[in-house]
Amino acid sequence: MPGEKTETQRLVLVVEDEKSIADILRFNLELKNYRVSTAYDGEEGLAKARAEKPDLILLDIMLPKMIGFEVCEILRKEGNNVPIILLTAREEEDDKVKGLEIGADDYITKPFSMREVIARVEANIRRNVMPQHPVAAADSAMPVSGNLSINTDSHQVFRAGKVISLTQREYELLTFLASHPNKVYSRVDLMEQVWNYGYVGDDVRTVDVTVRRLREKIEADPANPQYILTRRGAGYYFAVN
Ligand code: CA
């Protein structure tokens, strides 16, 4: 495709205190041609996320010095929308939802297979590089509905002319639904289309949490949404009159 970025080596930051796990992640990611940086506690992870600007972060939850949730929360509060995949322990089901609510994009349950890790990394890594200092203004964005507009060149979303900070997943979910106005998609459809998951287990809660987060950002009243609506028992759709 013209203009598409060719074979740049993407940087994955692995934040994991168990050195054996960090090593095996590094080994397998490098096999897949990713550059890998590692951090062994939360503070180091946060510092490297800020300094090295990775394309994706694999972030363990239970970490010394600062837990993964806190690292994720701080990065999001700073407006850093790097894709973050949390590494969770099997018995911590609630952690998944909590992680998504504070802005993680995805999670992988330990013990994981490397095949699964690579698949999740590839599904979550930015396919398009968002500019660090976007020059696009609201007036060059395409109006979508109401006072919402999207600039698909700069990957920016505006509400009433003001830029809204979205994670990649939130942006992709919004643009997918908005490009098929009034068409209802089930959560399984969305997992396949937006999350690029071939297999969908009980992960559909991911969709609900992401919709909720997106509504909090784009809707004037998230409890009474006007853009992303729920068709009970069927799924979600982007409403255009
Ligand atoms: Ca750990």
Side-chain angles (χ1 to χ4, degrees), residues 26-54:
R26 170 194 284 278
F27 177 80
N28 282 277
L29 287 162
E30 285 178 349
L31 274 184
K32 289 286 175 185
N33 217 24
Y34 291 105
R35 286 185 299 133
V36 179
S37 178
T38 45
Y40 301 109
D41 66 62
E43 286 178 2
E44 186 188 8
L46 180 61
K48 286 197 167 180
R50 287 169 172 158
E52 297 177 359
K53 303 194 170 28

Side-chain angles (χ1 to χ4, degrees), residues 177-236:
L177 288 171
S179 59
H180 306 84
N182 297 325
K183 181 164 165 46
V184 179
Y185 288 93
S186 73
R187 295 183 297 174
V188 171
D189 289 339
L190 292 171
M191 284 304 285
E192 288 172 356
Q193 301 284 330
V194 179
W195 274 258
N196 305 309
Y197 286 3
Y199 166 77
V200 181
D202 55 2
D203 287 348
V204 287
R205 265 178 104 177
T206 301
V207 176
D208 299 334
V209 176
T210 308
V211 166
R212 192 159 74 230
R213 265 173 30 210
L214 189 50
R215 280 174 174 161
E216 281 165 8
K217 293 182 179 183
I218 66 170
E219 302 281 358
D221 176 7
N224 188 15
Q226 57 167 316
Y227 297 118
I228 296 180
L229 303 193
T230 306
R231 174 78 39 86
R232 202 180 297 249
Y236 296 107

Side-chain angles (χ1 to χ4, degrees), residues 16-18 60-63 110:
E16 167 63 79
D17 57 315
E18 283 175 67
D60 187 29
I61 292 177
M62 296 311 292
L63 289 167
K110 289 180 180 177

Side-chain angles (χ1 to χ4, degrees), residues 7-24:
E7 271 321 296
T8 49
Q9 272 195 309
R10 300 300 173 89
L11 176 65
V12 176
L13 173 61
V14 174
V15 189
E16 167 63 79
D17 57 315
E18 283 175 67
K19 195 162 183 307
S20 60
I21 297 180
D23 285 348
I24 199 164

Side-chain angles (χ1 to χ4, degrees), residues 3 25 53 80 195 240:
L25 286 168
K53 303 194 170 28
N80 188 326
W195 274 258
V240 173

Side-chain angles (χ1 to χ4, degrees), residues 76 78-81 157 162-167 170 217:
R76 293 302 187 236
E78 291 174 354
N80 188 326
N81 286 319
V157 175
K162 212 171 155 245
V163 71
I164 301 170
S165 180
L166 300 180
T167 65
E170 291 161 355
K217 293 182 179 183

